[in-house]
Amino acid sequence: MSSSLLVLAAAAPAAGPPGWVQILPLLAMGVIFWFLVFRPQMKRHKEHQAKIAGLQKGDRVVTAGGLVGKIVKLEDHYVDLDLGQGVKVKAVRSTIGDVIPPGGNTPAND
């Protein structure tokens, strides 16, 4: 009788961790990915949208293509930029990369 109990005990599979424990590393990686990648990207996107919404006539801006100009006219989706000495271009509003603050041309060693 004791030998049959040993055979039954040996044939029973070992109890492993529950299924939800195996999912925990994936959830942890998802949370880490969220805080390191998605959240900062969403924050930068919101800041850029606020910058685009706050554009005013006369602001000096830099486009995504690297052009530096002064806003002459604002429309819903476009801005007219004066690049200097009669050179005016129309740019898509969302391609404005940054607004140059007034007095932004100060030397770096001051």
Side-chain angles (χ1 to χ4, degrees):
M1 183 119 185
S2 65
S3 64
S4 64
L5 288 176
L6 288 175
V7 171
L8 289 174
W20 62 269
V21 172
Q22 295 175 351
I23 296 175
L24 282 178
L26 292 174
L27 290 175
M29 286 190 302
V31 169
I32 291 170
F33 195 71
W34 172 264
F35 280 104
L36 292 178
V37 177
F38 288 128
R39 193 166 176 241
Q41 180 63 30
M42 288 173 28
K43 185 178 177 184
R44 280 192 298 271
H45 181 70
K46 283 183 183 180
E47 289 173 355
H48 184 255
Q49 291 297 333
K51 227 181 255 188
I52 296 298
L55 290 176
Q56 298 176 357
K57 186 176 176 181
D59 284 347
R60 291 184 49 81
V61 296
V62 179
T63 66
L67 298 174
V68 177
K70 185 177 178 180
I71 295 178
V72 178
K73 181 180 171 187
L74 288 167
E75 297 175 12
D76 288 339
H77 299 287
Y78 300 101
V79 294
D80 288 347
L81 297 176
D82 182 13
L83 301 180
Q85 295 197 353
V87 179
K88 292 186 181 172
V89 295
K90 185 177 287 267
V92 176
R93 193 173 184 145
S94 62
T95 62
I96 301 296
D98 200 8
V99 178
I100 300 172
N105 294 336
T106 58
N109 60 356
D110 279 353

